[in-house]
Amino acid sequence: MRPDYAVDGKPKATKKGMPWDIIPQTPEDIARMRVAGRIAREVLDAAVRAVQPGITTDFIDQLVHKETIARNSYPSPLNYHGFPKSCCTSINEVICHGIPDNTELLAGDILNIDVTVFHDGVHGDCSETVFVGPKEAVPEPVRDLVQTTFTAWQAAIAHCRPGVKYSELGGIIEDIIAAKGYSTVEIFCGHGVGRLFHTYPNVLHYRNNDRTGVMAAGHTFTIEPMICLGTNQVLTWPDKWTAVTKDGLPSAQFEHTLLITDTGVEELTAKLPTSPKYSWEL
């Protein structure tokens, strides 16, 4: 099964209603999303294991494509609004939507790999920022940026449960990262995910009072803060996809697909016992 945009690049099903009208997943689709989430995690893990100086981001993309197809799934980014590759690879100052190409990774780079798979009618979406080469090769301020992004992301996830306003998450993230002098990108956000790749809620990663809905059991969505060492101002390359920091300083990101349960939150793309450790744990 492939998504409805696979051939012509144009999604046919689109989000409807107001931003605060969030439709819970059916029990059947929740079961499907657990499977899709695990597949996305397995594929991302394969990509992370491959990261080393000298390989190209195209190599990572080819690996993601192969591992996704091997699991009877479709790489969701491929031809989504015309995106030309099967995953996003964002190096250093690239905030998101980096297009894999013949760029070789260098020791001391940081790289975000964003993987989404479409399986049995639903999407699973996750990303991770990794160090290229030994962690000592990455400048200490950049290592701290990555770990602080992770800490803020985890704090936002821990806050999720029925009855919580989605607008509360941005302040949690911003309090943690601003204390270090970092900034949070405002023009990109987390999103609902399920049968649609992107739908409501819009999950903003900065302090806000927007009416974006209240969490309820059955909601599925991503939290994916993009945190910058310097400015959060964005430039978009002529390819109309690659978003970079205006000052050229690094940006880091982590992402899970999440499910609100009756009592809290479940990470549908959580690391497995076999998953690689985070870069700073090595």
Side-chain angles (χ1 to χ4, degrees), residues 227-273:
I227 308 303
C228 305
L229 190 63
T231 183
N232 63 355
Q233 298 301 301
V234 178
L235 289 176
T236 303
W237 284 3
D239 62 25
K240 299 182 180 180
W241 285 103
T242 307
V244 300
T245 58
K246 200 168 186 179
D247 58 9
L249 293 178
S251 177
Q253 180 187 25
F254 293 87
E255 176 183 16
H256 272 324
T257 295
L258 304 165
L259 165 69
I260 297 299
T261 66
D262 290 336
T263 58
V265 63
E266 178 181 342
E267 297 175 347
L268 298 181
T269 51
K271 277 187 177 285
L272 305 168

Side-chain angles (χ1 to χ4, degrees), residues 5-18:
Y5 55 81
V7 174
D8 63 6
K10 300 176 181 178
K12 312 303 181 296
T14 57
K15 57 188 177 184
K16 299 177 181 179
M18 302 303 290

Side-chain angles (χ1 to χ4, degrees), residues 3 14 17 26 39 62 120 143-144 147 170 173-174 186 192 236 268-269:
T14 57
T26 65
I39 292 172
Q62 291 165 18
D120 196 18
R143 295 201 305 267
D144 187 74
Q147 290 184 248
I173 292 167
E174 190 161 11
E186 298 185 5
T236 303
L268 298 181
T269 51

Side-chain angles (χ1 to χ4, degrees), residues 150-168:
F150 176 84
T151 298
W153 173 62
Q154 288 286 289
I157 292 172
H159 190 67
C160 294
R161 61 188 180 277
V164 170
K165 293 180 180 179
Y166 285 98
S167 60
E168 294 177 29

Side-chain angles (χ1 to χ4, degrees), residues 89-98 103 108-112 129 142 145 185 188 226-237 242-252:
T89 52
S90 301
I91 306 172
N92 297 332
E93 76 274 16
V94 180
I95 296 167
C96 61
H97 304 155
T103 301
D109 286 341
I110 60 171
L111 170 70
N112 180 270
T129 297
V142 180
L145 170 69
V185 173
F188 300 114
M226 288 146 272
I227 308 303
C228 305
L229 190 63
T231 183
N232 63 355
Q233 298 301 301
V234 178
L235 289 176
T236 303
W237 284 3
T242 307
V244 300
T245 58
K246 200 168 186 179
D247 58 9
L249 293 178
S251 177

